[in-house]
Amino acid sequence: MKKVYLALMCMASFVLMTACGGNKKADVADAEKENAEVVEDTDEEDDGVRCTEGEEDADSEEAVANPADAQALDLETLYANGDFKPAEGVVFEDNLTADKDGELPTKWDIKEGSAEVNACGERNIIKFVGGYAAITPLLNGKSDFLTDVWSLEYEYFMADYSPLAVRFFNKEEEEIGNVHLYSESVTYGFCKTDDETIDGENPDLSKTIKKGWNHFGISFNKGNVKVFVNGKRIANLPNVKQPVSFIVYGQEGHYITNIRVTK
């Protein structure tokens, strides 16, 4: 597994270093597919996790990787005690209550691969299907709805060693920022207004990231970016270029839910 982690980190670093060069969404998709192939080539084949109550593999460290068995997040406590404070104006919100199990998420566009709604206990979640998938939210049929002030948050669950990523794009569909969420670490990189790249890594967040549901948050305020995991601020970056859209990248074993953009 350590080899897998190092390979993924190298690929992520390459994307971070070239982000300010104007990579198009198609190039980013190719990089994410390579990430998926690294995992598939180095790990044993996995049929994925179905969110069904009672399924458990006692011999695997990832037995708790069934989202239905994991403890739900207490968002009110997280907001009250953590650094992440969502704004009151809701721009986009999807808790998937209007969607049906096994169907495509109605508020999202599938850019690559496949993702579907998965009934998980008393709520619905988005399940990434297969080796690779990329999804972007739609607001009135458009994905480019981010302004100069916004916050994005969602709950995420990873039953796989590979990273769950979110990438940000400008009006020309060039990647100008990204965050990679790993099982015990986070990497990030953004293009600054002077065309330099600012990036970093939090290599040991084992006490912050849980083996279950976690909360990801990011805020953008006229060039200032803050990144949060489970309410803890892990990055504060100045003079960052403004994105207008984002895409979430995942694969089998990745899930997200309760997605909100506020301003």
Side-chain angles (χ1 to χ4, degrees):
M1 298 298 281
K2 187 175 181 181
K3 291 181 179 179
V4 178
Y5 177 82
L6 292 174
L8 290 170
M9 287 291 292
C10 290
M11 287 188 177
S13 299
F14 172 78
V15 175
L16 295 178
M17 288 187 294
T18 58
C20 290
N23 286 346
K24 298 294 184 179
K25 291 182 180 179
D27 298 327
V28 176
D30 290 341
E32 292 299 332
K33 285 180 180 178
E34 291 178 8
N35 280 356
E37 290 171 359
V38 169
V39 176
E40 291 172 354
D41 290 342
T42 53
D43 280 347
E44 294 182 1
E45 195 172 314
D46 183 8
D47 291 332
V49 179
R50 287 300 300 172
C51 188
T52 304
E53 300 283 356
E55 291 184 4
E56 196 168 352
D57 181 4
D59 295 330
S60 174
E61 186 181 1
E62 284 136 25
V64 293
N66 188 337
D69 295 336
Q71 183 177 359
L73 295 180
D74 183 350
L75 293 181
E76 291 187 6
T77 300
L78 185 145
Y79 296 150
N81 299 331
D83 300 319
F84 180 79
K85 310 294 182 184
E88 295 182 358
V90 176
V91 177
F92 173 89
E93 184 171 25
D94 193 9
N95 52 22
L96 304 159
T97 55
D99 293 331
K100 295 182 179 180
D101 182 34
E103 299 295 329
L104 297 175
T106 56
K107 293 184 179 182
W108 297 76
D109 185 21
I110 310 296
K111 308 297 289 186
E112 295 282 346
S114 181
E116 63 185 34
V117 177
N118 196 192
C120 184
E122 297 181 354
R123 65 176 181 172
N124 286 341
I125 61 179
I126 293 178
K127 174 185 178 181
F128 292 86
V129 180
Y132 165 82
I135 63 175
T136 187
L138 297 177
L139 181 65
N140 298 324
K142 297 182 179 181
S143 61
D144 55 344
F145 56 82
L146 298 180
T147 61
D148 61 346
V149 178
W150 52 266
S151 294
L152 164 66
E153 63 175 308
Y154 52 78
E155 296 177 50
Y156 72 95
F157 188 102
M158 298 190 303
D160 192 285
Y161 197 77
S162 57
L164 179 67
V166 57
R167 297 184 178 276
F168 299 91
F169 301 87
N170 61 16
K171 292 181 180 180
E172 288 71 40
E173 297 190 342
E174 298 167 346
E175 182 197 342
I176 55 174
N178 58 66
V179 179
H180 285 71
L181 303 169
Y182 293 85
S183 58
E184 293 186 352
S185 66
V186 173
T187 64
Y188 49 86
F190 289 85
C191 293
K192 299 184 67 176
T193 52
D194 59 3
D195 289 329
E196 293 295 322
T197 300
I198 182 170
D199 54 31
E201 175 189 0
N202 291 84
D204 186 10
L205 294 175
S206 58
K207 295 182 179 179
T208 301
I209 301 175
K210 305 172 184 177
K211 294 185 181 299
W213 285 104
N214 291 275
H215 181 272
F216 167 72
I218 182 170
S219 66
F220 182 91
N221 188 347
K222 297 180 179 179
N224 186 56
V225 169
K226 297 178 181 179
V227 180
F228 307 83
V229 173
N230 289 332
K232 179 182 179 180
R233 189 180 72 191
I234 62 172
N236 190 359
L237 313 175
N239 303 319
V240 170
K241 290 184 177 181
Q242 180 187 330
V244 299
S245 64
F246 66 90
I247 297 177
V248 182
Y249 297 83
Q251 51 192 297
E252 194 78 38
H254 291 165
Y255 306 82
I256 62 173
T257 192
N258 283 344
I259 307 97
R260 285 206 307 169
V261 176
T262 56
K263 62 179 294 186

